[in-house]
């Protein structure tokens, strides 16, 4: 009979196929450093409360630190028969320190242990991702500032709509990432909870001091309900939802970069270092980073579906199903970080083709709303003005011209309120400058938005 840490009541060995099926070590070894830090805090608390001797805690802590080093240096052996990272470390501690290692798990279950590890991991990773988003926002602001005056066509339904500043368009992404940052920051409150003391589910008869363990580990508070402590994976679902929204922002940005870098648009040119070629078509230079980020968004959406489906209908308290939470979580953390980081590097490697964007803004009747507004200023009701402008567009189309290419007499056929000042009124620069409504694309607004964003980033605290 092979020895397992839990097989006192078993008279048969676990079948090999069961060991392979139930083990999670390939995935949860990622948690080793948190598992060890959690165990060290637990031991310090046990000694502080005189549940074990200080000298025993010291030996075990020394052993755990040695195991930490061995794992760090790839001098640690993993085996399916030891199931997960918690068992591996406990078993290794036995080899390191002898019988005394059996005291480590006093007043603790793997159920509250894994909840602790996951919270420690996600608290650290959330802060790293917030830092990544912060860096990306800085790059967006830098680029917006550098190209503050560039005019581009703004789109609705992917049809040319009204001219906007390219910087204004970029700052829209700044706003999206700001919300992602704030969502992560807010979620930290719910991650930052210490579950030890719950043990398997009901709490423990031993006189643990969870407050003490919480303080050593730097958690904000202790979980209020032992059943919830071991059952709750809301923080995982919440993180993946937030990550999913952030990936969707990146994916929408990606789609735009792909379109803008196409020959048809040519609004931007991504540098050679951030594009790839084709193995057959020598002329190709493809926006693969943007495409991959867009593609990986599908995986993260899948991860969200995965975690919420795992949790749906699980009775309280711990169920082994929950072991599956790590796969979507770790993949989401890694993918999101990689995508945000590569975007921060790629953005300064994008050339903005000002003149192409400018010329594009002059074609496609982007000034039709402004012609209507012009008539409104002269006293015509908006619906009537809309009609006049629409008719002018139809006429211009029949002449193969733009509105500003029609003569004053042609325009006056649709309303005699139109005078020579219309041409100046319809210049791209004036159309932009007039959009001074709060959050509109006027130069002064965008300048202020950039200043506001810079001030926000100066005072925002990541860690
Ligand atoms: N590997 C397990 C997980 O990640 C640890 C908890 C196991 N608990 C248990 N009662 N079998 O969920």
């Amino acid at each position: 009979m092979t020895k397992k840490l839990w097989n006192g009541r078993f008279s048969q060995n676990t079948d090999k196929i069961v060991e392979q099926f139930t083990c999670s070590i390939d995935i949860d070894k990622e948690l080793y450093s948190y598992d060890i830090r959690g165990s060290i805090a637990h031991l310090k608390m046990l000694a502080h409360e005189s549940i074990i001797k200080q000298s025993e805690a010291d030996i075990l802590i020394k052993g755990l630190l040695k195991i930490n080093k061995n794992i760090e240096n790839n001098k640690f052996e993993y085996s399916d028969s030891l199931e997960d990272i918690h068992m591996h470390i406990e078993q290794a501690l036995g080899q390191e320190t002898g019988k005394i290692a059996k005291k480590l798990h006093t007043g603790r279950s793997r159920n509250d242990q894994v909840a602790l590890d996951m919270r420690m991991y996600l608290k650290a990773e959330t802060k790293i991702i917030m830092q990544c988003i912060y860096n990306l926002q800085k790059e967006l602001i830098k680029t917006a500032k550098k190209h503050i005056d560039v005019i581009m066509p703004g789109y609705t339904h992917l049809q040319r709509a009204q001219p906007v500043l390219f910087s204004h368009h970029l700052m829209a992404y700044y706003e999206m990432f700001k919300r992602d940052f704030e969502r992560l920051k807010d979620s930290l409150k719910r991650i930052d909870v210490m579950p030890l003391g719950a043990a398997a589910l009901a709490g423990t008869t031993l006189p643990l001091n969870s407050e003490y363990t919480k303080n050593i580990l730097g958690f904000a508070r202790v979980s209020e309900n032992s059943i919830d402590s071991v059952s709750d994976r809301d923080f995982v679902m919440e993180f993946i939802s937030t990550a999913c929204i952030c990936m969707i922002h990146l994916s929408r940005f990606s789609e735009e970069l792909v379109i803008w870098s196409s020959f048809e648009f040519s609004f931007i040119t991504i540098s050679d270092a951030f594009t790839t070629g084709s193995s057959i078509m020598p002329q190709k230079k493809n926006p693969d980073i943007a495409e991959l980020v867009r593609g990986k968004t599908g995986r993260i959406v899948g991860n969200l579906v995965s975690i919420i489906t795992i949790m749906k209908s699980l009775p309280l308290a711990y169920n082994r199903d929950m072991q599956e939470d790590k796969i979507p979580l770790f993949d989401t953390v890694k993918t999101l970080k990689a995508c945000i980081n590569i975007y921060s590097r790629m953005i300064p490697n994008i050339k903005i083709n000002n003149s192409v964007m400018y010329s594009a803004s002059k074609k496609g009747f982007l000034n039709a709303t402004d012609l209507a507004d012009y008539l409104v200023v002269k006293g015509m009701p908006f619906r009537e003005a809309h009609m006049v402008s629409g008719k002018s567009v139809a006429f211009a189309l029949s002449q193969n011209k733009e509105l500003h290419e029609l003569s004053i007499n042609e325009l006056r056929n649709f309303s005699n309120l139109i005078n020579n000042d219309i041409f100046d009124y319809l210049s791209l620069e004036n159309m932009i400058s007039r959009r001074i409504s709060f959050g509109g694309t006027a130069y002064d607004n965008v300048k202020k938005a950039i200043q506001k964003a810079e001030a926000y980033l100066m005072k925002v605290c990541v860690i």
Side-chain angles (χ1 to χ4, degrees), residues 187-319:
S187 74
L188 274 174
K189 285 190 279 200
R190 288 170 290 280
I191 301 171
D192 204 0
V193 182
M194 210 290 297
L196 287 191
L201 80 161
T204 168
T205 57
L206 298 168
L208 303 191
N209 183 344
S210 299
E211 196 63 25
Y212 190 82
T213 317
K214 172 211 94 176
N215 289 338
I216 297 178
L217 291 172
F219 273 94
R221 58 197 178 88
V222 178
S223 166
E224 301 280 336
N225 178 303
S226 64
I227 297 177
D228 186 43
S229 304
V230 294
S231 311
D232 175 19
R233 291 294 182 275
D234 290 7
F235 61 100
V236 179
M237 293 189 274
E238 184 175 1
F239 171 79
I240 302 181
S241 318
T242 301
C244 202
I245 297 174
C246 185
M247 280 299 291
I248 284 167
H249 293 153
L250 285 169
S251 182
R252 295 180 74 175
F253 197 11
S254 300
E255 176 78 5
E256 300 208 303
L257 296 182
V258 170
I259 294 173
W260 293 348
S261 64
S262 67
F263 186 76
E264 285 75 4
F265 271 73
S266 298
F267 283 3
I268 58 168
T269 310
I270 305 175
S271 80
D272 285 1
F274 282 78
T275 45
T276 56
S278 154
S279 55
I280 179 167
M281 296 169 283
Q283 85 283 12
K284 290 294 290 263
K285 192 174 124 169
N286 298 325
D288 293 39
I289 293 173
E291 292 169 83
L292 279 169
V293 169
R294 193 176 55 186
K296 285 173 194 289
T297 304
R299 277 234 316 277
I300 307 306
V301 173
N303 288 342
L304 178 60
V305 173
S306 165
I307 186 65
I308 59 180
T309 313
I310 289 165
M311 295 310 294
K312 178 190 168 293
S313 309
L314 279 192
L316 304 185
Y318 176 83
N319 300 271

Side-chain angles (χ1 to χ4, degrees), residues 22 24 28 83-86 109-111 114 233 318-326:
T22 55
S24 56
D28 61 27
E83 281 188 43
D84 55 26
I85 190 64
H86 325 295
S109 152
R110 273 186 296 161
N111 298 353
V114 73
R233 291 294 182 275
Y318 176 83
N319 300 271
R320 193 67 179 267
D321 314 44
M322 287 153 82
Q323 178 168 289
E324 291 291 313
D325 61 357
K326 290 159 207 72

Side-chain angles (χ1 to χ4, degrees), residues 126-140:
T126 297
K127 287 177 183 173
I128 294 171
I129 294 170
M130 284 166 69
Q131 182 68 55
C132 299
I133 294 179
Y134 178 92
N135 296 341
L136 175 60
Q137 287 177 301
K138 273 188 138 172
E139 289 304 333
L140 284 171

